[in-house]
Amino acid sequence: MYMFGLNVKKIIFMVIAAILLIFLAIWATAQGVVSLSLRDVFNIILSKIFPFVKFEIPRLPQIIVWNLRLPRVLLAIIAGAGLALAGTVMQAIMRNPLVSPFTIGTSSAAGFGASVAIVLGVGIAGTGKYLIIGNAFFFAMLSVLLVYGIARIRGVSAETLILAGIVVMYFFSALTSLLQYLATKEQLKGVVHWLFGNLALARWENLSIIFMMFLLSFLLTMKYAWDFNALAAGDEVAISLGVNIRQVRLISLVLATLITATIVCFTGIIGFVCLVAPHITRMLVGNDHRFLLPGSCLVGAILLLVADTIGRTIIQPVEIPIGIITSFIGVPMFLYLLLTKKKKYWQ
Amino acid sequence: MMKIQLKNIQFSYDHGSNALEDVSLEVKKRELVSIVGPNGSGKSTLLKCINRILKPRRGSILVNGKEVWKFQLKELARILGYVPQVSNHFLSSCVFDTVLLGRRPYINWRLNKRDEDVVLNLLKLMNLEGLMLRQFNELSGGEQQKVIIARALAQEPQILLIDEPTSNLDLKHQIEILTLILSAIKEKGLSAIMAIHDLSLAARFSDRIVLLKEGRIYTEGEPNKVLTKKNLKEVYGVEVDINYDSGIPHIIPLFSVEAS
């Protein structure tokens, strides 16, 4: 078929990216203070998934792989994929290449929620060790209500959503700054540490929650792939192609916020990947959201996995926050593609 | 049979006076009706009301006898094809994919052979085959205009709504585009409403012309009857000379006067 020929490159790209991701995951699991061979890692994972497969492996590496490193590697993959998905969706519905959960206040609201829990020790949702997580999630979801509510005053459009988002972002940033100003030295350290973002909270039980949320938002936003393509041609064209733009905007905005909130409340603020992964993918597979959405997830996952692995191993046992490394890897990658690709992919 | 019937349409934007006032209009099958009038007289607004982009305050718009607001969005998109004024797309895609978007009203998620065939046939028909893999945003104005007409035709509509198809085009492209539109209307039995600034082109290609002034229909009918010195002076405030040598009125603007 002709169409298949047109898209075959995109499919090949995704297959390669998926294979690379699996390889990187095994490689990343082998890295750390206790260095393991790739074969050991592979065997341990295999024997855990299929209990009937038996290898002669000492207990310690098994615990390191299964209880410590693998959850963290998987968290990096799902978080990277989820944040990239959120960024791609938000850029599509707001028709702006600079939009991400960062620019429209989701992350800063989560940061405020976490700060309240750390500094004031109180929270709206969650208790005990879940106080920070619950609070961050609650405020992140509150931010989308605020953004949509403010945008509705003048009619929901790409422009009003962006402006409302920026207002909400600055509002929560200011509140967080105020809390930081009032905090004790210890509390301040906790807040800053949270705001840098890290994947140390990787546990199997958290992972399953995040994975379910990711799967839900991915499948539902994939359903809208054609509608996102239509929105890129303008609201009026989208309407005349039969797209219910109001419904698409509202539902995708909520889904993008939901996946962001779910990830960020466990990891702290990890920026950039949600902005840059969609653009890297656009330059490689183009703007058709049927390919762009899954492609972005793969690129985001690879980016965050590599960043986290470098961050925790480069001067071990000290960890460099993942947000910093993500930018150090993403910026040159993005610049390279920007300067070498000729085609114009966005206005 | 009437494809579109507008009855007493009234529309106003949030603030300010009425952009459309008591507009009634009927368009038959195989008929191209041009809407002309000064800037701000309501040409584009009228198209957007028909297309459900804007909602009139009063009046009814019937498509095949059914009120447009009672259609499912996808159902309406299979009947009405919209050709907006050319502008770059936020996210550019290749020409093939841009035209393919016109199949959106027919596809759930997966494409089938028919979607592909429709698009390929249109690309061939419009001599766009060579540009198939080029990015939409990199094309010239004339090529972009062709692509968005192809996108609207890919909807396999019964009615075309066309907004200023010639505004950025050179002489050759103007004729090419309008000939294309006209042949699509006559061959496929479509109806079309086209907003257009160029009066001579409107006269050359339209079955009927509707002259709008400040949101109201000033007059309508065959090009010869509508495009007269008197009407144009009253509506545009321009003294014109009209040349009938070719049998079609050709308007030559002379100087500006106060519109009445």
Side-chain angles (χ1 to χ4, degrees), chain A residues 243-254:
Chain A
V243 179
N244 185 340
I245 58 169
R246 189 182 296 221
Q247 187 193 322
V248 172
R249 282 228 165 86
L250 178 59
I251 294 179
S252 352
L253 183 64
V254 170

Side-chain angles (χ1 to χ4, degrees), chain B residues 66-155:
Chain B
K66 186 176 169 185
E67 175 64 43
V68 281
W69 288 88
K70 296 210 170 104
F71 279 90
Q72 297 272 318
L73 274 167
K74 268 194 172 181
E75 195 188 349
L76 191 66
R78 291 174 197 164
I79 302 175
L80 291 180
Y82 179 55
V83 182
Q85 292 190 39
V86 163
S87 65
N88 272 344
H89 292 169
F90 155 54
L91 300 171
S92 186
S93 50
C94 72
V95 168
F96 184 88
D97 284 346
T98 308
V99 177
L100 187 63
L101 204 52
R103 300 302 295 166
R104 163 68 179 65
Y106 296 89
I107 46 188
N108 283 320
W109 206 85
R110 290 187 68 88
L111 297 159
N112 59 37
K113 185 84 176 61
R114 171 147 174 71
D115 298 313
E116 186 187 322
D117 289 344
V118 168
V119 173
L120 287 175
N121 285 338
L122 281 168
L123 292 175
K124 197 180 289 177
L125 180 78
M126 308 190 78
N127 281 326
L128 288 168
E129 278 173 308
L131 302 175
M132 201 141 62
L133 297 178
R134 291 269 303 279
Q135 290 291 307
F136 176 81
N137 286 358
E138 294 174 343
L139 302 181
S140 73
E143 292 163 342
Q144 286 188 338
Q145 186 73 58
K146 275 191 189 173
V147 171
I148 61 173
I149 290 170
R151 183 180 65 203
L153 290 175
Q155 290 174 250

Side-chain angles (χ1 to χ4, degrees), chain B residues 6-54:
Chain B
L6 311 184
K7 289 180 193 159
N8 313 107
I9 299 301
Q10 191 210 340
F11 176 85
S12 56
Y13 288 98
D14 284 350
H15 311 286
S17 59
N18 287 344
L20 290 175
E21 183 76 58
D22 200 25
V23 172
S24 298
L25 179 66
E26 295 186 340
V27 183
K28 292 195 281 280
K29 203 173 170 177
R30 285 179 218 280
E31 197 178 28
L32 172 58
V33 174
S34 286
I35 318 265
V36 300
N39 289 334
S41 59
K43 300 187 295 291
S44 297
T45 308
L46 184 61
L47 293 183
K48 286 175 187 169
C49 282
I50 300 172
N51 209 11
R52 277 180 66 165
I53 291 167
L54 300 171

Side-chain angles (χ1 to χ4, degrees), chain A residues 36-267:
Chain A
L36 301 166
S37 72
L38 294 181
R39 170 187 278 270
D40 283 349
V41 171
F42 188 73
N43 288 346
I44 291 169
I45 295 171
L46 215 59
S47 67
K48 287 285 181 181
I49 297 172
F50 305 105
F52 51 85
V53 183
K54 291 274 177 269
F55 293 102
E56 287 300 313
I57 303 158
R59 217 170 134 59
L60 186 65
Q62 286 199 33
I63 294 173
I64 290 175
V65 167
W66 193 254
N67 295 354
L68 298 175
R69 287 194 197 153
L70 195 60
R72 180 157 181 160
V73 163
L74 290 177
L75 181 60
I77 290 174
I78 302 172
L83 290 171
L85 179 73
T88 315
V89 168
M90 285 186 179
Q91 287 169 11
I93 59 174
M94 301 194 202
R95 229 181 291 130
N96 188 302
L98 295 177
V99 163
S100 76
F102 239 75
T103 33
I104 74 149
T106 321
S107 306
S108 60
F112 172 70
S115 306
V116 168
I118 295 168
V119 176
L120 305 178
V122 293
I124 301 212
T127 52
K129 64 175 180 171
Y130 286 105
L131 186 69
I132 297 175
I133 296 170
N135 234 22
F137 182 81
F138 173 83
F139 278 96
M141 290 311 291
L142 180 70
S143 76
V144 72
L145 277 182
L146 283 174
V147 170
Y148 200 80
I150 295 170
R152 268 189 62 162
I153 298 171
R154 296 297 308 228
V156 178
S157 67
E159 294 75 22
T160 53
L161 281 174
I162 293 169
L163 291 174
I166 289 173
V167 167
V168 168
M169 189 263 287
Y170 275 108
F171 175 66
F172 281 113
S173 297
L175 285 177
T176 307
S177 301
L178 182 67
L179 282 175
Q180 286 180 310
Y181 187 72
L182 298 173
T184 65
K185 222 173 183 178
E186 273 308 298
Q187 292 165 342
L188 185 62
K189 204 176 152 201
V191 171
V192 170
H193 185 70
W194 196 91
L195 291 179
F196 272 144
N198 72 81
L199 300 181
L201 262 186
R203 307 274 180 281
W204 283 105
E205 65 267 23
N206 302 344
L207 265 176
S208 55
I209 299 173
I210 301 175
F211 181 70
M212 293 309 289
M213 284 296 189
F214 170 72
L215 206 62
L216 178 82
S217 356
F218 178 73
L219 292 176
L220 290 177
T221 49
M222 272 303 270
K223 254 191 70 180
Y224 285 139
W226 283 102
D227 296 354
F228 295 149
N229 291 349
L231 274 173
D235 279 11
E236 293 174 357
V237 172
I239 293 172
S240 66
L241 291 171
V243 179
N244 185 340
I245 58 169
R246 189 182 296 221
Q247 187 193 322
V248 172
R249 282 228 165 86
L250 178 59
I251 294 179
S252 352
L253 183 64
V254 170
L255 286 172
T257 311
L258 188 66
I259 182 64
T260 308
T262 310
I263 293 166
V264 167
C265 74
F266 287 107
T267 64

